[in-house]
Amino acid sequence: MKKVDQEEVARRRGIYFQSFGIYGGISGLFDYGPLGSRIKDRIVRIWKEMMLSEGNIAEFDGTAVTHQEVLKASGHYDRFFDYSVECTECGNRYRADDLIQKRGIEAIVDREWLQNKILELNMKCEKCGGKLGDVKIQKLMFQVEQGEGQEPLFLRPETAQGMFVNFKEYYRFFREKLPFAIITVGRGYRNEISPRRALYRLREFNMMECESFFDPQNEMWIHDPEENLKVTFLTNEGKEIHATPRDVYENGVVKSQPMAYFMGLAIRFYSRIGIDLNRFRFRQHKKEELSHYSSETWDAEALTDLGWIEITGIAHRGIFDLTNHIKASGKDLYAQRVVQRKEMLNKVREVDYDKIKADFPELSPKIIAAIKDGKSKLEAGGRTLDLADYIIEREEKVTVDRENFVPIVIEPAFGLDRIIYAILDHNLGLRDESGYVFLKIPYEISPYDAAVLPLMARDGLDQKANEIYEELLRQKFTVIYDDSGSIGKRYSRYDEVGIVYCITVDYETLKDDTVTIRHRDTREQLRIKVNEIPKYLGLNPWNGKKN
RNA sequence: GCAGGUGUUGUGUAGCCUGGUAGCACAAAGGCCUUCCAAGCCUUUAGCCCGGGUUCAAAUCCCGGCACCUGCACCA
């Protein structure tokens, strides 16, 4: 297929376009129009349906505005503030806090402090010895002010954290059994330095994320990895393999069974929504490319006119997130496993209040406080007390049949906007015969089920077509009625936005209640009874296959 | 963020250098015609990215901003 300017079609036909156009637009922000919104919605529905039909997956719909502590615990807060300073002579860039840290000084991440420190220490460019410019802050997260004297809030850079912090709710919902997974469809926000290329790099973007939780002793999903569909796998050693997810799991290229499982799920999803699997691959991240939280990551990539673009990341996040939230919040986000019943001796340390009171009645509050602070000695009453004297250590027998562990997380994260970009790239083409644009997306994600068209807008054909249109609407089909322009022009109009079926009402309809149904891809038509229309939508009666 | 280029009806563009009524094609709307794949004819709608400056007069020249494209940097 010949190349078509996707953005031009998207703008002209209301698929997507730049936000706030009448005010000049904002870079990195795009809106979905009447047709794009429908395509997007249908993709989301398929994804949710596929995920939820696993059985042990449930949905979470959390807020985008996020508590600062969550992002501090997740590591985003530290990494999303970039204090850079540039050499005024050679242009080399440094992180201001790194430069100062290198001199053995604890850097305070504050613009003024960093700026003053650089002047005070008379720091120069490491490369050329040139003068360093001003410290510039780059905030990579959008900050939301709460009010005077209150800590700011942040827009989430990923939906994942909401699922981690609510792990316990879902653990209970699934009656304390692993594995299970949580999904979220929602928006994330990243203040990209230079967003570019339409839907590829956005500052507000749609994602469909799944967090799956496992006992590290049993890192297995409940179903087996896909064994029929083959795609390309590119390893971090540069090896290319054409195989099924089951193959790559069995031969050890992909270490984790759940990762292989989700790869298979992704392939099934992608083939269903119109990604060309011949322009698709999984690419393993190289060591230096891995995120701060991940030990193994595979990206699903699609080949488009922008080159290979990441449309999904499947990351092994290990115990990183839950461990950090346990530490930061002090709350229990553990899962438990049943172990063999056993007797254990627990060491118990107790403060001997009676002895303290007997020895030093007036000093007792001081001594108790010192013990609670974990001190071992205390200067009091003119001498040094050994606090160990006031602690009783004894052993207690307990029966244990469960133990805590931090679950492992495997995350398939789908970038919805990039998926839409890739679908349009793979399916928008020119017809060989006529050179007209048509969009060959699957019926399931097509923006409307059908267009109902009277051959002529007269002789009662328009009324009849309108009746059929109304009836299909009543039956909950999404349909368009159109009687303007020649019939050929209208066919083309709907081909261009991927509507698969055109129902044409002609003079025979008036006689025998039949219409023609036309398929977008073959342009072939069949004459069918009006009441058979619902049966044909979603079929390709010309080759006996779906669509 | 830096450097260079660009910004004209819904879309694609001409006009800009050399200041003086903004033109074309497609799309869209109305009409005539037309019995199945963007036919034809008539009519209509609709635009100089935003702000400032120079000038009698700015789409055009100058300044600032915004946006887009390319390259570099960034992309956790």
Side-chain angles (χ1 to χ4, degrees):
Chain A
M1 279 197 298
K2 281 185 214 155
K3 276 289 152 205
V4 178
D5 182 350
Q6 165 180 151
E7 277 187 70
E8 189 268 322
V9 176
R11 251 196 303 277
R12 186 161 47 78
R13 297 307 307 271
I15 299 172
Y16 64 81
F17 34 75
Q18 199 174 24
S19 303
F20 311 113
I22 66 165
Y23 289 107
I26 303 277
S27 63
L29 297 181
F30 274 79
D31 295 334
Y32 289 98
L35 298 172
S37 301
R38 291 211 50 81
I39 293 172
K40 169 169 165 278
D41 187 52
R42 288 190 156 181
I43 293 169
V44 169
R45 271 164 54 179
I46 292 168
W47 187 81
K48 279 193 191 175
E49 178 210 301
M50 287 181 78
M51 284 297 184
L52 294 175
S53 66
E54 291 287 313
N56 60 339
I57 297 187
E59 190 169 356
F60 173 70
D61 188 358
T63 62
V65 175
T66 302
H67 197 298
Q68 208 184 82
E69 296 304 322
V70 170
L71 298 162
K72 282 187 176 164
S74 69
H76 288 97
Y77 189 88
D78 287 336
R79 279 154 223 272
F80 274 59
F81 281 85
D82 180 30
Y83 294 86
S84 65
V85 61
E86 206 175 272
C87 172
T88 54
E89 275 154 53
C90 72
N92 207 36
R93 272 169 63 126
Y94 304 94
R95 276 193 69 117
D97 43 339
D98 280 354
L99 277 183
I100 291 168
Q101 216 93 27
K102 272 191 202 159
R103 302 252 179 133
I105 301 163
E106 191 64 28
I108 297 171
V109 274
D110 173 85
R111 208 187 85 104
E112 243 169 79
W113 189 92
L114 292 166
Q115 183 74 74
N116 290 336
K117 209 71 190 172
I118 284 171
L119 291 175
E120 188 187 317
L121 298 170
N122 194 24
M123 299 179 89
K124 297 284 188 220
C125 175
E126 289 181 351
K127 251 195 187 161
C128 71
K131 192 174 175 289
L132 293 173
D134 290 342
V135 174
K136 286 182 185 159
I137 324 177
Q138 199 57 251
K139 288 186 186 180
L140 300 173
M141 286 196 293
F142 287 106
Q143 194 166 317
V144 180
E145 299 308 328
Q146 265 200 102
E148 194 81 18
Q150 286 175 293
E151 291 293 324
L153 300 168
F154 291 89
L155 295 182
R156 62 186 177 196
E158 59 176 18
T159 64
Q161 297 306 322
M163 297 185 260
F164 298 139
V165 300
N166 290 293
F167 170 73
K168 266 286 149 94
E169 303 296 328
Y170 285 79
Y171 186 56
R172 273 198 295 277
F173 174 77
F174 284 109
R175 295 190 315 285
E176 310 194 355
K177 285 189 187 70
L178 296 185
F180 67 79
I182 314 175
I183 57 170
T184 291
V185 175
R187 293 180 192 245
Y189 304 81
R190 290 176 193 192
N191 191 13
E192 297 283 355
I193 299 167
S194 74
R196 231 178 252 184
R197 289 169 176 166
L199 299 185
Y200 179 61
R201 250 176 107 189
L202 296 172
R203 298 205 285 178
E204 170 168 334
F205 50 95
N206 292 281
M207 49 193 161
M208 308 186 289
E209 290 195 304
C210 171
E211 307 300 333
S212 57
F213 300 91
F214 300 86
D215 183 337
Q217 292 178 4
N218 184 27
E219 192 184 312
M220 296 287 280
W221 189 245
I222 53 170
H223 300 121
D224 292 327
E226 169 67 37
E227 55 182 351
N228 294 315
L229 293 168
K230 278 190 177 181
V231 294
T232 300
F233 292 81
L234 178 62
T235 72
N236 59 9
E237 290 154 354
K239 263 199 292 182
E240 257 193 46
I241 304 162
H242 195 65
T244 67
R246 187 188 172 131
D247 297 337
V248 289
Y249 171 57
E250 284 180 351
N251 66 24
V253 169
V254 174
K255 307 278 179 305
S256 154
Q257 186 266 8
M259 286 186 82
Y261 181 78
F262 288 119
M263 285 172 163
L265 194 144
I267 298 168
R268 279 190 282 130
F269 172 62
Y270 283 132
S271 72
R272 196 166 150 188
I273 61 173
I275 296 285
D276 177 3
L277 293 186
N278 294 315
R279 281 181 273 176
F280 176 90
R281 71 179 181 195
F282 282 107
R283 187 181 65 83
Q284 185 176 27
H285 277 207
K286 302 207 170 82
K287 291 260 152 23
E288 63 275 15
E289 204 182 346
L290 289 169
S291 314
H292 62 284
Y293 49 70
S294 182
S295 57
E296 182 179 8
T297 297
W298 287 81
D299 281 348
E301 298 184 326
L303 183 60
T304 68
D305 61 356
L306 299 177
W308 285 100
I309 64 169
E310 176 195 347
I311 54 178
T312 292
I314 300 179
H316 199 294
R317 300 180 71 131
I319 58 168
F320 180 88
D321 298 280
L322 289 177
T323 305
N324 284 333
H325 286 304
I326 289 168
K327 270 193 229 155
S329 69
K331 295 294 190 306
D332 170 4
L333 297 178
Y334 295 99
Q336 291 190 316
R337 68 170 77 91
V338 175
V339 293
Q340 204 175 13
R341 180 175 283 263
K342 59 184 173 189
E343 305 272 296
M344 279 182 68
L345 289 176
N346 250 10
K347 277 193 182 162
V348 180
R349 287 161 56 96
E350 277 179 0
V351 180
D352 190 344
Y353 295 103
D354 292 341
K355 188 160 192 274
I356 296 171
K357 211 189 275 173
D359 291 359
F360 302 98
E362 305 84 48
L363 288 174
S364 53
K366 249 187 161 175
I367 297 171
I368 293 166
I371 292 172
K372 295 226 159 126
D373 284 349
K375 288 181 182 144
S376 56
K377 302 257 189 261
L378 180 70
E379 304 285 336
R383 59 194 179 117
T384 304
L385 300 179
D386 187 356
L387 295 177
D389 295 345
Y390 299 96
I391 294 170
I392 306 168
E393 289 201 5
R394 63 187 171 78
E395 291 187 331
E396 203 174 62
K397 270 191 193 170
V398 286
T399 310
V400 173
D401 63 357
R402 310 199 80 184
E403 68 182 8
N404 279 353
F405 64 90
V406 180
I408 275 178
V409 170
I410 289 166
E411 173 198 78
F414 295 72
L416 184 48
D417 311 285
R418 290 175 175 191
I419 289 171
I420 291 172
Y421 186 90
I423 290 173
L424 294 176
D425 187 274
H426 286 188
N427 291 280
L428 201 54
L430 299 177
R431 283 199 195 281
D432 295 334
E433 332 77 70
S434 57
Y436 297 135
V437 174
F438 81 125
L439 178 62
K440 211 180 161 177
I441 51 177
Y443 173 73
E444 279 197 296
I445 67 158
S446 147
Y448 282 82
D449 294 319
V452 179
L453 317 169
L455 187 61
M456 301 284 160
R458 61 166 202 219
D459 301 333
L461 294 180
D462 42 353
Q463 282 99 316
K464 183 66 186 171
N466 233 305
E467 283 167 28
I468 293 170
Y469 163 72
E470 294 281 352
E471 178 54 29
L472 289 170
L473 283 179
R474 259 195 299 281
Q475 295 186 37
K476 310 297 176 212
F477 287 98
T478 54
V479 281
I480 288 181
Y481 172 85
D482 186 352
D483 64 12
S484 82
S486 74
I487 191 70
K489 183 180 261 188
R490 281 176 278 158
Y491 287 150
S492 231
R493 205 178 269 162
Y494 298 107
D495 287 350
E496 195 177 41
V497 292
I499 293 175
V500 183
Y501 301 100
C502 285
I503 311 284
T504 306
V505 171
D506 57 17
Y507 288 95
E508 277 182 62
T509 311
L510 300 180
K511 284 185 235 156
D512 60 6
D513 226 32
T514 60
V515 291
T516 61
I517 180 166
R518 170 190 180 273
H519 196 276
R520 176 196 65 204
D521 301 344
T522 57
R523 307 193 302 161
E524 284 177 289
Q525 286 177 298
L526 276 186
R527 183 161 286 278
I528 61 171
K529 284 280 187 192
V530 168
N531 59 20
E532 289 178 317
I533 296 170
K535 204 173 80 186
Y536 278 86
L537 296 180
L539 287 177
N540 185 340
W542 296 273
N543 62 13
K545 287 186 208 145
K546 260 201 153 187
N547 302 324

